[in-house]
Amino acid sequence: GVHANSESHSAILAYHFKQAELYDKASRYYLRAGETATRLCAYNDARQHFAAALAVLQLLPETDEVKRRKVDALLKQVQASHIADKPQQNLERLELAAQLLQSQASLEEANADVRRNAWVNLAIPMRMFGASACSEASRRSSQRAAHSATTTNRLTVTSSLVILCGE
């Protein structure tokens, strides 16, 4: 179908961009290929594409944009591998994502990442302690959202809490 072709084209383009040492473009196409594979429930392919995206992102200078892409790849990798990989491996990915978010250069950049912070801050306790930890994570994320400069960011955090916790 159309989606399968889209996924294979993204993966092929990513491979060729990597071979040409155009790592920025390669990472974007690997992420796209992983997202498509996830939508198709091709989780093995998705995990491979997200891992490839992370590998080429390691070859780029550590800017805030690259950090955000790494966080996105890590979160998507966890989503695609929550059944196949060991919980400890996914927890390590989430912890790395949290470190990348905390290392951003400016408060303005950190505020722009409210959605990513919400996912990381909710997913880590849920992976470690189950759904009972969700209310504490919700409280922490809500406190961070209260410091956010925009209503849109507050709504994003609230929406993420509802999706992850059902609260």
Side-chain angles (χ1 to χ4, degrees):
V2 172
H3 291 291
N5 287 337
S6 172
E7 192 266 335
S8 66
H9 289 307
S10 293
I12 290 167
L13 287 169
Y15 171 80
H16 286 289
F17 283 129
K18 179 183 175 190
Q19 294 305 308
E21 298 182 5
L22 298 170
Y23 302 125
D24 183 66
K25 285 187 177 186
S27 71
R28 293 175 193 275
Y29 279 95
Y30 276 128
L31 285 169
R32 186 178 297 164
E35 291 164 356
T36 302
T38 300
R39 280 194 305 276
L40 296 171
C41 297
Y43 297 117
N44 287 334
D45 291 342
R47 288 195 320 272
Q48 290 173 357
H49 296 314
F50 294 134
L54 287 165
V56 294
L57 285 167
Q58 294 290 44
L59 302 172
L60 294 172
E62 189 84 351
T63 65
D64 284 347
E65 173 60 28
V66 168
K67 289 177 186 177
R68 282 191 293 276
R69 250 189 279 156
K70 285 180 180 179
V71 169
D72 289 344
L74 288 163
L75 293 175
K76 291 172 183 179
Q77 192 175 40
V78 168
Q79 179 187 8
S81 45
H82 68 280
I83 295 173
D85 291 343
K86 293 181 181 180
Q88 183 61 34
Q89 187 174 8
N90 282 324
L91 183 58
E92 289 169 6
R93 290 174 179 142
L94 291 167
E95 289 171 350
L96 177 58
Q99 290 170 9
L100 288 165
L101 286 169
Q102 291 171 357
S103 70
Q104 291 192 57
S106 71
L107 182 59
E108 183 178 313
E109 291 293 329
N111 280 339
D113 284 327
V114 172
R115 178 186 54 84
R116 289 178 182 96
N117 277 305
W119 281 102
V120 168
N121 289 325
L122 290 171
I124 289 175
M126 287 177 67
R127 292 265 178 224
M128 289 174 58
F129 307 111
S132 64
C134 201
S135 60
E136 173 61 20
S138 296
R139 185 187 62 73
R140 281 195 329 240
S141 292
S142 295
Q143 287 174 342
R144 286 188 182 171
H147 293 96
S148 175
T150 67
T151 303
T152 303
N153 285 344
R154 288 186 198 107
L155 290 173
T156 301
V157 169
T158 303
S159 299
S160 298
L161 297 177
V162 170
I163 291 167
L164 288 172
C165 300
E167 295 181 1

